[in-house]
mmCIF file of all heavy atoms in Angstrom:
data_model
loop_
_atom_site.group_PDB
_atom_site.id
_atom_site.type_symbol
_atom_site.label_atom_id
_atom_site.label_comp_id
_atom_site.label_asym_id
_atom_site.label_seq_id
_atom_site.Cartn_x
_atom_site.Cartn_y
_atom_site.Cartn_z
ATOM 1 N N ASN W 58 -14.500 17.345 -0.263
ATOM 2 C CA ASN W 58 -14.655 17.900 -1.615
ATOM 3 C C ASN W 58 -13.489 17.435 -2.479
ATOM 4 O O ASN W 58 -12.338 17.817 -2.253
ATOM 5 C CB ASN W 58 -14.690 19.431 -1.573
ATOM 6 C CG ASN W 58 -15.956 19.919 -0.913
ATOM 7 O OD1 ASN W 58 -17.046 19.467 -1.260
ATOM 8 N ND2 ASN W 58 -15.810 20.816 0.046
ATOM 9 N N GLY W 183 -4.975 27.265 -27.615
ATOM 10 C CA GLY W 183 -3.595 26.854 -27.855
ATOM 11 C C GLY W 183 -3.337 25.364 -27.741
ATOM 12 O O GLY W 183 -2.203 24.919 -27.827
ATOM 13 N N ASP W 238 -5.816 -6.734 -8.491
ATOM 14 C CA ASP W 238 -7.250 -7.059 -8.447
ATOM 15 C C ASP W 238 -7.928 -6.952 -9.819
ATOM 16 O O ASP W 238 -8.806 -7.741 -10.142
ATOM 17 C CB ASP W 238 -7.970 -6.117 -7.480
ATOM 18 C CG ASP W 238 -7.651 -6.456 -6.029
ATOM 19 O OD1 ASP W 238 -7.025 -7.524 -5.822
ATOM 20 O OD2 ASP W 238 -8.011 -5.668 -5.137
ATOM 21 N N THR W 268 0.575 -3.356 -37.667
ATOM 22 C CA THR W 268 0.797 -4.786 -37.859
ATOM 23 C C THR W 268 2.102 -5.186 -37.191
ATOM 24 O O THR W 268 3.123 -4.527 -37.382
ATOM 25 C CB THR W 268 0.902 -5.119 -39.359
ATOM 26 O OG1 THR W 268 -0.250 -4.599 -40.019
ATOM 27 C CG2 THR W 268 0.988 -6.620 -39.599
ATOM 28 N N ARG W 318 4.555 7.212 -31.264
ATOM 29 C CA ARG W 318 5.959 6.879 -31.462
ATOM 30 C C ARG W 318 6.177 5.492 -32.051
ATOM 31 O O ARG W 318 7.307 5.008 -32.121
ATOM 32 C CB ARG W 318 6.726 7.019 -30.145
ATOM 33 C CG ARG W 318 6.885 8.466 -29.695
ATOM 34 C CD ARG W 318 8.315 8.757 -29.263
ATOM 35 N NE ARG W 318 8.684 7.965 -28.107
ATOM 36 C CZ ARG W 318 8.476 8.356 -26.851
ATOM 37 N NH1 ARG W 318 7.921 9.507 -26.613
ATOM 38 N NH2 ARG W 318 8.844 7.588 -25.864
#
Side-chain angles (χ1 to χ4, degrees):
Chain W
N58 291 311
D238 287 351
T268 307
R318 290 226 297 272

